[in-house]
Coordinates of all heavy atoms in Angstrom, one line a residue:
Q261 N 59.0 149.0 105.7 CA 60.2 148.9 106.5 C 60.5 147.5 106.8 O 59.7 146.7 107.2 CB 59.9 149.7 107.8 CG 61.1 149.9 108.7 CD 60.9 150.7 109.9 OE1 59.8 151.2 110.1 NE2 61.9 151.0 110.7
L262 N 61.8 147.2 106.7 CA 62.3 145.8 106.9 C 62.8 145.7 108.3 O 63.8 146.4 108.6 CB 63.4 145.5 105.9 CG 63.0 145.7 104.4 CD1 64.2 145.4 103.5 CD2 61.8 144.9 104.0
Q263 N 62.2 144.9 109.1 CA 62.7 144.7 110.4 C 62.1 143.5 111.1 O 61.2 142.9 110.6 CB 62.3 145.9 111.3 CG 60.8 146.1 111.5 CD 60.5 147.2 112.4 OE1 61.3 148.0 112.8 NE2 59.2 147.4 112.7
F264 N 62.7 143.1 112.2 CA 62.2 142.1 113.1 C 61.8 142.7 114.4 O 62.3 143.8 114.8 CB 63.3 141.1 113.4 CG 63.5 140.0 112.4 CD1 64.7 140.1 111.6 CD2 62.6 139.0 112.1 CE1 65.0 139.1 110.6 CE2 62.9 138.1 111.1 CZ 64.0 138.1 110.4
V265 N 60.8 142.2 115.0 CA 60.3 142.6 116.3 C 60.3 141.4 117.2 O 59.6 140.5 117.0 CB 58.9 143.2 116.2 CG1 58.5 143.7 117.6 CG2 58.9 144.4 115.3
E266 N 61.2 141.5 118.3 CA 61.3 140.5 119.2 C 60.3 140.7 120.4 O 60.0 141.9 120.7 CB 62.7 140.3 119.8 CG 63.8 140.1 118.8 CD 64.4 141.3 118.3 OE1 63.8 142.4 118.5 OE2 65.6 141.2 117.8
S267 N 59.8 139.7 121.0 CA 58.9 139.8 122.1 C 59.0 138.5 123.0 O 59.6 137.5 122.5 CB 57.5 140.0 121.7 OG 57.0 138.9 120.9
G268 N 58.4 138.5 124.2 CA 58.3 137.4 125.0 C 59.3 137.3 126.1 O 59.3 136.4 127.0
G269 N 60.2 138.3 126.2 CA 61.1 138.4 127.3 C 60.4 138.7 128.6 O 59.3 139.1 128.7
G270 N 61.2 138.6 129.7 CA 60.6 138.9 131.0 C 61.5 138.4 132.1 O 62.7 138.1 131.9
L271 N 61.0 138.5 133.3 CA 61.7 138.0 134.5 C 61.2 136.6 134.9 O 60.0 136.4 135.0 CB 61.5 139.0 135.7 CG 62.0 138.6 137.0 CD1 63.6 138.5 137.0 CD2 61.6 139.6 138.1
V272 N 62.1 135.7 135.1 CA 61.8 134.3 135.5 C 62.8 133.8 136.5 O 63.9 134.3 136.5 CB 61.7 133.5 134.2 CG1 63.1 133.4 133.6 CG2 61.1 132.1 134.5
Q273 N 62.4 132.9 137.3 CA 63.3 132.3 138.3 C 64.1 131.2 137.6 O 63.7 130.6 136.6 CB 62.5 131.7 139.4 CG 61.8 132.7 140.3 CD 61.1 132.1 141.5 OE1 60.7 131.0 141.5 NE2 61.0 132.9 142.6
T274 N 65.2 130.8 138.2 CA 66.0 129.7 137.8 C 65.2 128.5 137.6 O 64.4 128.1 138.5 CB 67.2 129.5 138.8 OG1 68.0 130.7 138.8 CG2 68.0 128.3 138.4
G275 N 65.4 127.8 136.5 CA 64.7 126.6 136.2 C 63.4 126.9 135.4 O 62.7 125.9 134.9
G276 N 63.0 128.1 135.2 CA 61.8 128.5 134.5 C 61.9 128.5 133.0 O 63.0 128.2 132.5
S277 N 60.9 128.9 132.4 CA 60.8 128.8 130.9 C 60.3 130.2 130.3 O 59.5 130.8 131.0 CB 60.0 127.7 130.4 OG 60.5 126.4 130.8
L278 N 60.7 130.5 129.1 CA 60.2 131.6 128.4 C 60.2 131.2 126.9 O 61.0 130.4 126.5 CB 61.0 132.9 128.5 CG 60.9 133.6 129.9 CD1 62.0 134.7 129.9 CD2 59.5 134.2 130.0
R279 N 59.3 131.8 126.2 CA 59.2 131.6 124.7 C 59.3 132.9 124.0 O 58.4 133.8 124.2 CB 58.0 130.9 124.3 CG 58.0 130.4 122.8 CD 56.6 130.1 122.4 NE 56.6 129.3 121.1 CZ 55.5 129.3 120.3 NH1 54.4 129.8 120.6 NH2 55.6 128.6 119.1
L280 N 60.4 133.1 123.3 CA 60.6 134.4 122.6 C 60.1 134.2 121.2 O 60.2 133.2 120.6 CB 62.1 134.7 122.5 CG 62.9 134.8 123.9 CD1 64.3 135.2 123.6 CD2 62.2 135.7 124.8
S281 N 59.6 135.3 120.7 CA 59.1 135.4 119.3 C 59.8 136.4 118.5 O 60.2 137.5 119.1 CB 57.6 135.7 119.3 OG 56.8 134.7 119.9
C282 N 59.9 136.2 117.2 CA 60.7 137.1 116.3 C 59.8 137.3 115.1 O 59.8 136.4 114.3 CB 62.0 136.5 116.0 SG 62.9 137.3 114.7
A283 N 59.1 138.4 115.0 CA 58.1 138.6 113.9 C 58.8 139.5 112.8 O 59.3 140.5 113.1 CB 56.9 139.3 114.4
A284 N 58.7 139.0 111.6 CA 59.3 139.8 110.5 C 58.3 140.7 109.9 O 57.1 140.3 109.7 CB 59.8 138.8 109.4
S285 N 58.7 141.9 109.5 CA 57.9 142.9 108.9 C 58.6 143.3 107.6 O 59.7 143.8 107.6 CB 57.7 144.1 109.8 OG 56.9 145.1 109.1
G286 N 57.9 143.1 106.5 CA 58.5 143.6 105.2 C 59.6 142.7 104.7 O 60.3 143.1 103.8
I287 N 59.8 141.6 105.3 CA 61.0 140.7 105.0 C 60.4 139.4 104.4 O 59.5 138.8 104.9 CB 61.8 140.4 106.2 CG1 62.3 141.6 106.8 CG2 63.0 139.4 105.8 CD1 63.0 141.4 108.2

C-alpha cells in the first residue's frame, strides 16, 4: 500500500516547538 503516515502533532503553547514526521510506506 502506497501511503504516508504523519506523526508528531500535539498541543503546544505559543512560542513552543513541534517536530512533525512523514513516513513513506511502499513509496
Side-chain angles (χ1 to χ4, degrees):
Q261 186 175 3
L262 307 178
Q263 65 176 4
F264 281 109
V265 178
E266 301 94 339
S267 62
L271 174 63
V272 64
Q273 292 185 334
T274 297
S277 298
L278 286 172
R279 188 194 194 202
L280 306 184
S281 296
C282 168
S285 175
I287 302 169

